[in-house]
Amino acid sequence: MKWEVAKSRGNVINEIRDFFKNKNVIEVETPSLSMGTVTDPYLDAFSTQYNYLDNSDINQSQQLYLQTSPEFHMKRLLASGYGCIFQICKAFRHEDSGRYHNPEFTLLEWYRIGFDQHDLMAEVDELLSTVVKSPKSEKISYQNLFIKFVSIDPLTATFNQLYEVIELQGKAADWLYESDDCDLLLQFIFSEIIEKNIGLSRPCFVYNFPIAQASLAKECVEDNRVAQRFECYFKGVELANGFNELTDANIQITRFEQDNSKRQQLGLVTKNIDENFIKALQSGLPQCAGVALGIDRLMMIALEKSAIEDVISFPIERA
């Protein structure tokens, strides 16, 4: 990242902080290291060992995780009585680096008490308009998105029907067919076929994702096949992922257990459920909606750069 770009990036960060200051949303900090991590089968956290916890022998190390997002800690703050909060922090995901991703990246995450997913979509739209001067957004449900672009209903389609869509697009692969997993095919169709067509000229919010893809979101009252999760796309980039937050601890435990079952099916290591997070839910999380937005990707749009390495100081290859 060049010096002129660094100065512009700093100005954008200041704009974001001013946006939340004007709304009386308070900035907080939470740990990057935690004893718990996500169970999501499609997220992989970095881990390390720590030998100096008060309640353990110095010769017996405790596994700690770098956080894939500050979500669990921020919800713990909300459950303890905090009001509306935001955070700009480093997050870490053990994934390939590339044009849109570095394994260490900067995340903006915020939570609004009393909001639902549609309230929060409107606020994300307002933030984008403020920071990147985007035109007014469009909204479309996950179900209607699939019907529009691949002429299939994702909530009723069979495995063979989904695989036929992939074949027609010339993207068939043995590993997809052998998975026998409708949810995997849905995610493949979304990312490899649909995603490139949305949010090109104005932000596009896709909402009401299948419940299997939204373990931290509330189920939709109108349709229990989907959950109140949304994603935002603009200029060919996935920018944000938000939820009307699940507040029921028992349902959350079941969702985490379902994640771990999926991990077993995929041959992945299961993850311990974060007990501190569950205890916070049991103490009472207020009705709220939260969203995580990739700052580096936002910077690519705001500063008109084509790769993430142009808007960060040192990509992983030179870290």
Side-chain angles (χ1 to χ4, degrees):
M1 178 170 59
K2 295 179 179 178
W3 172 235
E4 291 304 318
V5 177
K7 289 191 286 185
S8 297
R9 180 182 170 114
N11 290 335
V12 173
I13 293 292
N14 288 336
E15 277 190 280
I16 292 170
R17 286 197 162 100
D18 287 342
F19 178 86
F20 289 109
K21 182 179 180 180
N22 292 335
K23 292 177 176 290
N24 197 31
V25 178
I26 305 303
E27 185 168 9
V28 297
E29 292 184 351
T30 57
S32 293
L33 280 174
S34 176
M35 286 181 280
T37 190
V38 294
T39 54
D40 188 325
Y42 302 106
L43 278 183
D44 194 8
F46 290 98
S47 63
T48 189
Q49 303 298 127
Y50 184 65
N51 290 68
Y52 302 101
L53 286 177
D54 287 343
N55 61 352
S56 65
D57 189 290
I58 194 169
N59 296 314
Q60 183 178 358
S61 62
Q62 167 73 47
Q63 189 165 34
L64 299 178
Y65 299 91
L66 283 170
Q67 294 305 284
T68 56
S69 96
E71 178 170 5
F72 289 4
H73 286 107
M74 292 183 78
K75 288 182 185 176
R76 285 167 62 184
L77 294 179
L78 294 174
S80 76
Y82 277 49
C84 297
I85 53 177
F86 82 98
Q87 181 168 190
I88 298 172
C89 65
K90 292 294 186 181
F92 307 84
R93 297 183 185 180
H94 195 187
E95 300 170 356
D96 286 344
S97 60
R99 181 182 177 188
Y100 296 115
H101 181 67
N102 195 62
E104 176 183 352
F105 58 99
T106 305
L107 197 63
L108 164 65
E109 189 151 332
W110 77 95
Y111 290 83
R112 297 290 258 139
I113 293 173
F115 276 34
D116 63 17
Q117 65 168 337
H118 294 287
D119 297 326
L120 196 53
M121 279 188 268
E123 189 161 80
V124 173
D125 194 19
E126 184 183 353
L127 176 69
L128 294 179
S129 175
T130 300
V131 173
V132 298
K133 307 300 184 284
S134 59
K136 187 166 178 58
S137 65
E138 59 178 328
K139 295 199 300 184
I140 185 170
S141 72
Y142 184 96
Q143 183 180 33
N144 287 336
L145 188 74
F146 271 71
I147 293 169
K148 177 179 179 179
F149 285 105
V150 293
S151 302
I152 200 166
D153 186 337
L155 305 181
T156 61
T158 65
F159 180 88
N160 287 335
Q161 288 171 328
L162 293 171
Y163 194 74
E164 185 179 349
V165 170
I166 294 170
E167 286 182 316
L168 289 172
Q169 294 287 330
K171 294 182 178 290
D174 290 343
W175 66 274
L176 285 170
Y177 189 76
E178 291 166 2
S179 73
D180 195 29
D181 185 341
C182 284
D183 189 52
L184 179 64
L185 297 194
L186 286 174
Q187 295 197 52
F188 184 86
I189 292 168
F190 190 103
S191 63
E192 296 296 325
I193 299 171
I194 296 176
E195 194 174 291
K196 63 185 178 183
N197 297 304
I198 59 177
L200 300 180
S201 59
R202 58 178 173 154
C204 177
F205 289 89
V206 182
Y207 64 94
N208 286 5
F209 277 69
I211 202 159
Q213 298 179 31
S215 67
L216 291 152
K218 282 185 176 177
E219 179 183 291
C220 278
V221 176
E222 305 83 4
D223 187 344
N224 63 9
R225 298 172 299 175
V226 298
Q228 297 178 59
R229 172 191 171 193
F230 68 86
E231 288 188 348
C232 177
Y233 293 81
F234 187 40
K235 303 282 189 182
V237 180
E238 178 196 340
L239 278 179
N241 183 24
F243 308 99
N244 188 6
E245 302 294 346
L246 181 60
T247 57
D248 187 305
N250 293 327
I251 295 174
Q252 188 64 80
I253 291 169
T254 299
R255 299 266 188 91
F256 285 159
E257 289 171 344
Q258 289 169 345
D259 280 350
N260 271 328
S261 294
K262 187 64 171 288
R263 280 183 161 272
Q264 285 183 315
Q265 292 171 19
L266 296 171
L268 303 173
V269 175
T270 58
K271 300 295 183 182
N272 292 332
I273 293 173
D274 188 330
E275 295 298 332
N276 288 325
F277 176 55
I278 294 300
K279 287 176 183 176
L281 292 185
Q282 289 169 337
S283 73
L285 180 68
Q287 162 60 38
C288 61
V291 61
L293 187 150
I295 287 285
D296 304 317
R297 293 180 179 184
L298 181 68
M299 290 296 173
M300 289 173 61
I301 295 172
L303 307 180
E304 299 182 335
K305 300 299 179 181
S306 60
I308 198 170
E309 66 178 15
D310 296 325
V311 296
I312 61 177
S313 299
F314 300 102
I316 190 64
E317 290 83 2
R318 298 196 298 277

